[in-house]
Amino acid sequence: MELDKEKTINAQPAIDSKIPEGPVAEKWTNYKAHQKLVNPANKRRLDIIVVGTGLAGASAAATLGEMGFNVLNFCIQDSPRRAHSIAAQGGINAAKNYQNDGDSVYRLFYDTVKGGDYRAREANVYRLAEVSNNIIDQCVAQGVPFAREYGGLLANRSFGGAQVSRTFYAKGQTGQQLLLGAYSSLNRQIAAGKVKSYNRYEMHDVVIIDGRARGIIAKNLVTGKLERFAAHAVVIATGGYGNTYFLSTNAMACNVSAAMACYRKGAYFANPAYVQIHPTCIPRHGDKQSKLTLMSESLRNDGRIWVPKNIEDAKRLQAGEIKGSDIPEENRDYYLERRYPAFGNLVPRDVASRAAKERCDKGFGVNNTGQAVFLDFSEAINRLGIDVIRQRYGNLFDMYEEITDVNPGELANTIDGVNYYNPMMIYPAIHYTMGGIWVDYELQTSVKGLFAIGECNFSDHGANRLGASALMQGLADGYFVLPYTIQNYLSDQITVPHFSTDTPEFDRAEKEVQKRLDDLMAIGGKRSVDSIHKELGNIMWDYVGMARTKQSLQTAIEKIKELRKEFETNLFIPGTQDGMNNELDKAFRLRDFITMGELMAYDALNREESCGGHFREEHQTEEGEAKRDDENFFYVSCWKYEVDDTKAPTLLKEPLHYEAIKVQTRNYKS
């Protein structure tokens, strides 16, 4: 159960993050000035595999193809347009300072580090803020229809954890519009022959030759056949691991199998305990759901979050005797505005989520399960009019009504001359994962030639991602960081010929994957994949969820080990391996989710502090806020795979060093 403390300390390899010398504001400029390059003729000799076609994968594949490299791009869906990046609603951050409200590159950098509770790598975050403005220019040039002010300038709105308006948006469809921009660039390179697109393929393993990533084993999800692909470098852009919890805001196809394949082949996995709980999700309504629906954080610009002041009103709401619109203003507790007056409803996601949980745990929840709070637009509608509010959030209002049959813009009651409109109901849910494959400053993993970008790496968000920063990181990595840093690696690979897949290493990797598939089909038990996955999700939510304790995490590890035995002995997969078999594909991913869940629990158990999305009940202030331990835990936890899934991983540590920012307790109250 307990990790071997000696094993985590003695004789461990040094973690080289390759952070450039010099002041943090000059590191990226100096890096680009002195990096190694590959000339145009030599780029044609080099092959790069990019796995994933979300914002990170599509932008990287398109850019690398435009530069002249030969790119093989793999998509689990039937089209890159269906990558999960389309689900992002609210916007993308950049430090343009169009509002003239005090924003700057440094301010975006500072807010991101602070929002991540001082657990991010400083140099990476500054680079992210530095290139953010280029992203907006790139996307405007692609035709992304960002909202605009009356005079024609791009519009901005506020998001959690910031006191400026720096979020660019396209209604509530920002992710979809940005992905269409990247997709158009990708299609151009496909038509030019620089990118080969493989739709409905899923990476099952990475092939290592002489210590370097040289290819992948991928399954054709239509034919069911395993296929081999070779390249000089491999880039993973496959998203996060939120679906370990079964119910999350992620699409059902989102999985962690590519990242787990890299982990098993020697890539460190960093900070797996850092999972984001998003505060504005539509509450679950039963045990038959396959996913949860997110309501954009942008709604917190004009929506006010509240619960009743009086427990009697809460009980009547839970019993269905009254509605939220029946409770007058003086009997409402706008608890975020009360607790955090400087930021109010726009506190970071981890703070807002824990505050909602605290109110519901005290009995003030507002739906029949007691697991919901109100997000109310009455004040904004009375002040600005329904037309203005619908112009800002109309499609989000429509989406909420489609799902709940409640129109948030409909007048529901008038009390003492004050109009009250139907409020939304929201509750926190698993959303984004800040942990991921460990990468250095160049976005290279601990395996040479293997790179990770976007949500599947750990690098930029610390212990809590600020809203509208996921799209920023994905496009920054794909358009403006990886195209530089991967050349530093490939510069000495130009004399290496194109690889053949007819090698012992490819043979061995394919046989290992085939054996895993054969073993799954041979179990012949009685339980469906989803039933076991739901059980895993309940374990994760109950014991590794919003609040954690030493006891709960030890219990989680024990239960996950038991569940692994159940999976290995009682799984039932209908059909055969020939052709398409969705249940086999889900079972393959579930094996990795089980390993991922255990890894998350190990990391959370080791980190005896509270920070960002990781909240240990033993480590909180008198006011219930996260209490960090900078003396003992000011590091990135890097986990090294050991032998097989049943063995506890080994902990390595990358110390964090801050030069430009003073590390202090987060304060959103003043």
Side-chain angles (χ1 to χ4, degrees), residues 163-181:
Q163 291 179 303
V164 298
S165 296
R166 65 162 64 102
T167 303
F168 296 78
Y169 62 98
K171 287 191 174 180
Q173 308 167 352
T174 312
Q176 179 172 338
Q177 298 302 330
L178 291 172
L179 187 63
L180 288 173

Side-chain angles (χ1 to χ4, degrees), residues 558-607:
E558 292 172 359
K559 288 183 175 292
I560 292 171
K561 289 183 181 298
E562 293 171 1
L563 188 64
R564 178 182 284 112
K565 293 178 182 177
E566 176 74 1
F567 173 81
E568 292 173 345
T569 59
N570 200 22
L571 177 71
F572 171 70
I573 301 175
T576 68
Q577 289 193 54
D578 298 328
M580 185 182 295
N581 188 335
N582 288 333
E583 291 301 303
L584 175 58
D585 298 334
K586 290 196 298 184
F588 192 93
R589 298 164 195 157
L590 179 54
R591 171 178 177 262
D592 298 318
F593 282 133
I594 292 172
T595 301
M596 187 70 238
E598 193 171 10
L599 181 60
M600 292 163 67
Y602 275 128
D603 189 42
L605 182 62
N606 166 76
R607 190 168 286 277

Side-chain angles (χ1 to χ4, degrees), residues 76 98 113 115 135 152 244 259 274 294 319 391 413 442 469 481 553 638:
I76 194 173
Y98 283 163
V113 172
I135 298 171
T244 304
Y274 293 162
L294 177 70
Q391 185 178 20
N413 200 359
E442 297 182 339
S469 286
V481 180
L553 295 166
C638 306

Side-chain angles (χ1 to χ4, degrees), residues 23 37 57 65 131-132 192 198 288 372 408 432 492 494 566 601 631 652:
L37 299 174
V131 305
S132 66
Y198 295 87
K288 305 300 182 186
Y432 188 91
D492 66 354
I494 56 178
E566 176 74 1
E631 182 177 349
L652 312 176

Side-chain angles (χ1 to χ4, degrees), residues 343-364:
F343 283 74
N345 295 293
L346 287 173
V347 292
R349 292 173 177 178
D350 61 318
V351 177
S353 294
R354 281 196 298 274
K357 181 179 186 298
E358 184 272 336
R359 288 290 80 194
C360 291
D361 288 349
K362 290 290 174 103
F364 290 90

Side-chain angles (χ1 to χ4, degrees), residues 145-314:
F146 286 122
R148 293 180 181 267
E149 303 287 4
Y150 179 78
L153 283 178
L154 299 184
N156 289 120
R157 54 191 177 196
S158 299
F159 259 61
Q163 291 179 303
V164 298
S165 296
R166 65 162 64 102
T167 303
F168 296 78
Y169 62 98
K171 287 191 174 180
Q173 308 167 352
T174 312
Q176 179 172 338
Q177 298 302 330
L178 291 172
L179 187 63
L180 288 173
Y183 179 56
S184 66
S185 295
L186 179 61
N187 270 347
R188 182 171 178 269
Q189 296 309 310
I190 293 171
K194 295 306 297 179
V195 176
K196 291 184 179 178
S197 180
Y198 295 87
N199 295 344
R200 298 292 287 147
Y201 277 75
E202 183 172 13
M203 173 184 151
H204 276 1
D205 205 358
V206 60
V207 180
I208 309 296
I209 300 177
D210 296 331
R212 297 175 185 260
R214 296 301 195 189
I216 65 170
I217 305 297
K219 182 181 180 183
N220 184 320
L221 296 177
V222 176
T223 67
K225 301 296 184 183
L226 296 178
E227 299 182 24
R228 307 177 182 188
F229 301 90
H232 293 86
V234 177
V235 180
I236 307 298
T238 51
Y241 47 93
N243 274 353
T244 304
Y245 289 80
F246 188 74
L247 279 182
S248 79
T249 65
N250 291 279
M252 292 178 66
C254 294
N255 66 82
V256 73
S257 290
M260 282 289 99
C262 299
Y263 170 62
R264 293 190 182 99
K265 286 297 179 70
Y268 303 150
F269 207 102
N271 296 338
Y274 293 162
V275 178
Q276 182 164 86
I277 314 290
H278 199 294
T280 52
C281 179
I282 296 178
R284 62 184 297 181
H285 58 256
D287 59 1
K288 305 300 182 186
Q289 286 177 264
S290 56
K291 74 177 298 293
L292 297 170
T293 302
L294 177 70
M295 298 307 297
S296 170
E297 183 174 308
S298 64
L299 293 168
R300 290 198 273 149
N301 274 277
D302 288 301
R304 302 175 71 193
I305 297 173
W306 65 278
V307 294
K309 284 183 179 178
N310 304 316
I311 194 70
E312 295 78 16
D313 286 339

Side-chain angles (χ1 to χ4, degrees), residues 436-493:
I437 302 173
W438 180 88
V439 293
D440 59 24
Y441 189 76
E442 297 182 339
L443 303 183
Q444 186 170 207
T445 72
S446 50
V447 176
K448 287 185 177 181
L450 180 63
F451 295 78
I453 60 177
E455 188 182 356
C456 79
N457 77 28
F458 89 101
S459 64
D460 292 352
H461 306 297
N464 172 63
R465 176 175 69 79
L466 291 187
S469 286
L471 306 185
M472 177 174 62
Q473 187 212 344
L475 292 179
D477 286 356
Y479 282 137
F480 299 111
V481 180
L482 182 76
Y484 285 100
T485 62
I486 200 170
Q487 290 188 78
N488 215 38
Y489 169 76
L490 291 172
S491 60
D492 66 354
Q493 299 292 299

